[in-house]
Amino acid sequence: MIKKIILFNVILLIIFIIFKSNSEIGSMDACLCTEILVNPSFINKKNKMPSVKKCLSSFKDFKNAHLECIKSIPLDHSEIKVDSIKSI
């Protein structure tokens, strides 16, 4: 009986993960949404394009998608070394 309960919960978890991943656009897709939301003709045809609907429901507008896109890009800040012999 316990095995059946555990198996049932695992199946429900897998279904939930699949459903959750298909319904939302993640922060990694924010850059793609900026390209979609910058085009006014895409926004005008949002009823025919599910990707535009998902972008609008996730980010609401171009500005929010662009800010999330900027946050998702890893920036490597190099260390600034000051030479003590040279004067600035």
Side-chain angles (χ1 to χ4, degrees), residues 21-62:
S21 66
N22 289 336
S23 64
E24 291 184 9
I25 293 179
S27 61
M28 297 304 289
D29 296 326
C31 296
L32 176 62
C33 282
T34 58
E35 293 295 323
I36 291 172
L37 296 176
V38 76
N39 192 336
S41 65
F42 286 166
I43 295 173
N44 292 338
K45 297 176 184 177
K46 66 182 174 189
N47 295 328
K48 298 178 182 177
M49 303 173 77
S51 58
V52 177
K53 283 183 181 179
K54 285 184 179 181
C55 286
L56 286 172
S57 66
S58 296
F59 300 108
K60 297 195 175 54
D61 61 0
F62 170 79

Side-chain angles (χ1 to χ4, degrees), residues 74-82:
L75 298 175
D76 295 331
H77 298 288
S78 60
E79 186 177 321
I80 298 174
K81 295 180 182 180
V82 178

